[in-house]
Amino acid sequence: MMTTDSFVMPFSEGSADQKSLLGGKGANLAEMTRIGLPVPPGFIVTTDACRRYMAEGGSPAGLFDQVDAALADLEAQVGRKLGDPESPLLLSVRSGAVFSMPGMMDTVLNLGAMPSTADGLAKLGDEWFAQDATRRFLEMFGRVVLGVDAEGFDHNVEQANEAAGVASERDLTVEQLAEVVAKHRQTIADAGKELPEDPRDQLRLAIEAVFRSWNGDRAKAYRRIENIPDDLGTAVNVQMMVFGNLGDRSATGVAFTRDPATGEKVHYGDFLIGAQGEDVVAGTRAVEHIDTMGETFPHAKEELEETLDTLEQHYHDMCDVEFTIENDKLWMLQTRVGKRSAAAALRMAVEMVDEGLIDEVEALKRVTTKQLEAMLHPRFGPNAPEPITTGLAASPGAAVGKVVLTSQEAKERGNAGESVVLVRPETSPEDLEGMVASVGMLTARGGLVSHAAVVARGLGKPAVCGANELKIDAKAGTVTVNGTVIHADDIISIDGTTGQVVIGEVELEIPEDDPNVAKLLTYADKQRRLHVWANADTPEDARRALAAGAEGIGLCRTEHQFLGDRLPLIRQMILSKTEEEERAALEPLEAQQKEDFEAVLEVMDGKTVVIRLLDPPLHEFLPDPLELRLKEASEGLDADEQKLLEAAEFYHEHNPMLGVRGIRLGILRPNVYAAQVRAIIGAAVARKQAGGDPRPEIMLPLTATSQELAWGIKLIHDTAKQVIEESGVEVAYTTATMIETPRAALRARELAPQVDAFSFGTNDLTQLTFGFSRDDVEASYIPAALEQELLPVDPFRSLDPAGVGRLVEMAVTEGREVKPDLVTGICGEHGGDPDSIHLCHRVGMNHVSCSASRIEVARLAAAHAAMEVSGPGSTA
Ligand SMILES: [Mg+2]
């Protein structure tokens, strides 16, 4: 059958925008040719041909006629011929897929170097070069194309080296090399393979071998990891060989248009004199920096510098290149947009905007949220030892300190200036002060939304949680990990960005305050539509959040204000038997909360501060009844302790997560909520009197029914009205409900008219939608389910788009149907997760709220969402 399909394209006819047809390497070789850079001539066998080869189980009709024609043109252009004994042309045959798959597919170099062409090759270099090229060709062709075991070739070379008493084949004589060549041919024959003598046949077989390597095990595994589709196929680049190994007037090297580690605008690279490309990669000989290249190759150096500038101006990005100098003549063998460190990505993006090379939108596309994250926190340096265990990366940053096993000790020693890492089975609100005084937290239990994780992120401190290999014995003062015993006071290092735990001191990389971060984020702020608010409980949290760019507070958790030296006050309230006792106990709490709110409202003057009324079950403020029972049995309890024990047992719940908390607690203890509302409105009044612009929003947690919400809203309005009337100061406030039960999402139409705002508490909403108790599943079931692909993502890390996300979208949409100006936001920790932010953008939320340490990343992610740049590993 006749075919008019075009399977071959010379470099001189292609361009960079034809990557899917020509592969990445081929398209860039064509582009470099097109803009006049010194590229050894050649042609590309297209991915179409590869796809047809795979579909038909053999090369498509017409392919090799086209290859022969392209080869004839190439021979005419360079004045040498493949297989010509007088003036032989040697070819490189290299794979080149659409997406770079470094080292995954096959290559044949020096094709055309045969004993029959040795004399002609010797004229190009010398006799040694001719024999060496033939040796290299037979090894590669034998292994890659004919499938001969590499061991046989290695053995031949080793034997020759031994017999000659030299360390390397580079020291063999011409005659000795010729013997190796003869042995290699015998090895191929012994393996039952036939080596075609005609280089044209070799070329055909080499092209087909590259096609087949697309489906090699290595390549397939790589594509699975990198999410590259299996049906793209690879192109094959057939190119005139140039030689960096012709002696001291030749060299080979790699270079970058800017420093790929720092991003500095200087050329960067290495080269080796008298070597071929694989010698540079193998790292067996010491390379020289291109700065010194001018001493040996002044002309080539100048041309390389110009070429690097041309490439960067042309691609508007940092490029890397492979080059060869053959007898002082520079040749470009490859270019592509270069890989770079996080620091370099950021610096280059910002500087290229300043240079007018790219615009701000393009700069934003070039920095991933992961790269930004890496720039913001300390992390383990490159020489960190193997971790002893790895837990969940709960709060970013790294820390080094002495192991301390109780919060009390952490508080004392930390406040005294020691660097301590608090190591606990898990933490509770009572541990807060110890956590504040520590440089980092390590827990054996609990997931990404466990108390330790949430508090650590709020504090901006590193935490590794759920490291379930830790066996902590606080009494004995030891932590055992897989048989290794760590003692209290031993130094450990934790990296909350990776979850790694290392015994001893790890050298940390501390990010400097990088002005490029601020600059990139101003670009992001212009692009994003989502506002970024903070979860912040204290004036210090609020200040940190403001500095990171927070535009409001989306969640101020009042319960954290009940801890520390105020714990006795709230316990007094819990223990009160009569309404009078309760009111008396609430009075000082109310006064203190008013001060707290005033301080937060002052920091956030003119910005919304969403204050959530008391949420956790009361037993969280009480001691563990088991411990009290033990103490009762051993040394007895005093009267106060006896009361606490009774209360702790009274408030004990079988499943506190689903028990009396949130608005349910408010309904059972209405005076508590009323006191909190008085404190909030009272604080606003005081701020107003001081000339401020307070904007409190009062939020009810865990609502499930519209009647519950109506009850809560009435309490808020009645109480606020009273405070406002008493003060004679007119203050404005707004109201919100959290949407964190599936029922609330389902009844959004009834809830929306009652409030100004919905705030999605996606931690609880995820728990309740899946029926997961997060503390029980996050370190056990979820990793197993992820591994068996029963869950697409960890729903506590990244909002589950198909289930929880659907509830969220429905509640936003239906809430706005009945109340078009309804403000919607998310205040679960998902608010700082880039993929979840994409979802929030897509469903049309007004804002995301997250801990201060995640605000910068959220700003970039919100910009990416608005620009429809999917985050890395995006599932939204
Ligand atoms: Mg909640």
Side-chain angles (χ1 to χ4, degrees), residues 666-679:
I667 289 166
L668 294 185
R669 307 288 292 255
N671 292 333
V672 177
Y673 270 22
Q676 288 197 294
V677 173
R678 272 197 303 277

Side-chain angles (χ1 to χ4, degrees), residues 46 58 149-150 189 219 238 306 312 346 366 445 457 461 503 510 524 601 617 669 684 694 803 836 864:
T46 65
D149 207 337
V238 180
E306 277 168 23
E312 192 172 283
L346 182 71
R366 296 214 182 148
R445 292 199 291 271
R457 285 195 295 265
K461 295 195 182 225
I503 297 182
I510 313 282
L601 288 170
R669 307 288 292 255
S836 309
H864 284 167

